[in-house]
Amino acid sequence: MSSAVDERLVRLLGGPELGWLRQRIRSGMEAGRLPSSVTLRSPTAAQRSAVAGLLGRKIPVGQALTVRLADVEAVLRNTGLGLDLAAALVKLGGPVPDRLAERLAASADREAPYLAVSEPAAAVPWAAEWLELVRRSRVLARLPDADTRSRALASALEVAVFVTAAAGAPVTGRNELAARLCGDAHALDDGAVRAALVLRAMAVVSGVPVPLSAGERRALWERFGVVPDTVSSTCLTLGLRPLGTSPLSVRLSAATEAGDPVHVTAWDLARCELDVLPGVVVLVCENPRVLEAVAQRCGGLVAVLCTSGMPSLVTTALLHRLAASGATLRYHGDFDWPGIAMANRLVATVGCQPWLMSVADYLGAVRADGPPLDGPAVAPCWDPALGAAMAASGVAVHEEAVLDGVLAGLGCD
């Protein structure tokens, strides 16, 4: 188009006083909802004059200024410029984005990963809840495009199905699992999108909240037999005298003679048998200070295993080994609701016998100025009266507070 024609278009529709008109029409075009007319509520005299010049008629004073788009189209046709209104606005202001099309494309882009996994997900009972959780989390938005998101979601589904179906299988290293199923040894590292997706699946299957801290994430992986490695997670022990001559048995026996605590790893358990004489009594305690005090008072004469809070995968595995070889496991922990919940779990899973954890033991140790009980109450499976007494007092008794009694009961006073 010649510069003369462009100048005619600018004179006709491009002046600053008609900027509001061009902007209103462009906004409607962008939204895909072009109005039949646009209105300016408080026009200036210059704006009213510009519209009068455009349409070729007088504009009444003292009222809102309304312009019918059909009238503007008619003016453009009569000028001989060969442009309709949309083309004229493009000439004057550049291409008009199609926001509706962009929103539809963005919606399709967001939906693409879920459509890509819809068929395999249909066969997985927990997948619908998991996918809804993923949608709400916007984890996939961290990836750059629909193809990458689709591949990540499909890969995470494969890993999650494998992991949640492998309960009771041998411990698996997380990097090994990632290399085998994802083709990338670091695909399931903390902070990776696929790791976040798989964690949400494991949370759904377990019926627990999505883990937030590093410790919670590790515990959830371990619940399904997956560990970052087989050497960093340990179980603190004292006084174990395993049978046989495996490297682990030799090391534990030597430490027992010296009265030294020993950390046992998943690496140790994977490489060595661990059997003890049937009937050997092992104290299972919650807090490392208890084991340390036993070592200080009795050396290695008393067998102790410390869970260090909620038992890790290696701790649970070691407890199962000891129980299977005939050891008697006696448990002592905190008189608080998490401690009671853990005791219930150890009673149910490895046959621990609560020791010095009766209602009489609690009432003999509780103090009015002790720490308050927090969280929901948990009924002790071995002594319902204990739970009632704890709820009535509302006070916790931590294991360290009754350490002298524990040591006396072990014969270490």
Side-chain angles (χ1 to χ4, degrees):
M1 182 174 289
S2 69
S3 60
V5 174
D6 289 340
E7 290 171 3
R8 288 172 59 196
L9 179 60
V10 170
R11 286 196 303 272
L12 180 68
L13 193 58
E17 293 81 6
L18 294 176
W20 69 273
L21 177 61
R22 296 192 301 273
Q23 185 54 49
R24 299 278 181 87
I25 299 172
R26 287 180 67 92
S27 296
M29 293 170 63
E30 289 181 11
R33 299 186 299 272
L34 195 62
S36 60
S37 64
V38 293
T39 298
L40 185 62
R41 295 298 177 188
S42 301
T44 65
Q47 289 170 328
R48 194 180 297 277
S49 176
V51 170
L54 170 66
L55 300 181
R57 65 171 181 259
K58 289 184 177 181
I59 302 297
V61 179
Q63 63 184 45
L65 180 56
T66 298
V67 179
R68 294 176 62 247
L69 270 57
D71 293 341
V72 181
E73 286 275 15
V75 169
L76 285 169
R77 284 197 303 270
N78 293 335
T79 61
L81 291 174
L83 298 172
D84 60 14
L85 182 55
L89 290 175
V90 170
K91 282 286 184 182
L92 291 169
V96 179
D98 189 339
R99 301 301 184 193
L100 177 59
E102 290 176 358
R103 288 196 297 272
L104 292 174
S107 177
D109 186 81
R110 289 192 299 270
E111 190 63 22
Y114 303 99
L115 291 175
V117 300
S118 59
E119 186 174 344
V124 181
W126 45 260
E129 183 179 353
W130 170 60
L131 290 173
E132 181 57 31
L133 189 62
V134 172
R135 285 179 193 274
R136 295 199 304 268
S137 72
R138 297 187 59 79
V139 169
L140 287 176
R142 290 156 51 186
L143 298 176
D145 54 65
D147 286 344
T148 306
R149 294 169 194 150
S150 296
R151 289 194 298 270
L153 193 61
S155 176
L157 177 61
E158 180 186 3
V159 173
V161 168
F162 177 85
V163 168
T164 57
V171 173
T172 302
R174 197 193 314 173
N175 295 116
E176 177 188 356
L177 179 70
R180 186 165 74 248
L181 295 183
C182 306
D184 176 359
H186 297 288
L188 299 176
D189 287 358
D190 264 3
V193 168
R194 273 180 285 189
L197 295 171
V198 175
L199 281 165
R200 281 164 172 77
M202 293 190 296
V204 167
V205 173
S206 303
V208 300
V210 176
L212 299 178
S213 69
E216 291 172 340
R217 290 190 292 270
R218 180 175 186 133
L220 188 54
W221 281 112
E222 287 192 351
R223 180 178 290 199
F224 291 93
V226 180
V227 295
D229 54 70
T230 59
V231 294
S232 61
S233 181
T234 67
C235 177
L236 182 61
T237 68
L238 173 73
L240 293 182
R241 295 178 182 271
L243 303 174
T245 58
S246 71
L248 179 59
S249 296
V250 170
R251 179 155 54 91
L252 289 174
S253 296
T256 295
E257 291 298 328
D260 292 333
V262 176
H263 286 277
V264 176
T265 67
W267 174 279
D268 295 323
L269 296 182
R271 299 175 71 231
C272 302
E273 296 296 327
L274 194 149
D275 295 312
V276 296
L277 287 171
V280 166
V281 176
V282 180
L283 171 66
V284 181
C285 64
E286 183 177 349
N287 299 285
R289 174 57 193 144
V290 175
L291 184 146
E292 181 184 43
V294 174
Q296 290 168 337
R297 298 280 189 92
C298 294
L301 296 178
V302 175
V304 186
L305 181 152
C306 181
T307 67
S308 299
M310 191 60 68
S312 66
L313 188 64
V314 63
T315 298
T316 303
L318 181 52
L319 286 170
H320 278 293
R321 292 275 189 96
L322 293 172
S325 66
T328 298
L329 304 177
R330 290 180 178 170
Y331 177 75
H332 189 275
D334 293 336
F335 286 106
D336 59 16
W337 300 132
I340 298 301
M342 185 165 69
N344 284 344
R345 179 180 172 187
L346 291 174
V347 169
T349 57
V350 294
C352 278
Q353 303 170 8
W355 179 69
L356 297 183
M357 293 204 61
S358 68
V359 63
D361 296 314
Y362 172 73
L363 292 175
V366 69
R367 297 172 40 155
D369 60 350
L373 284 169
D374 292 325
V378 178
C381 64
W382 66 94
D383 190 349
L386 169 61
M390 291 173 62
S393 71
V395 177
V397 176
H398 293 147
E399 197 171 19
E400 297 90 336
V402 294
L403 184 55
D404 289 341
V406 172
L407 293 172
L410 294 171
C412 297
D413 53 344

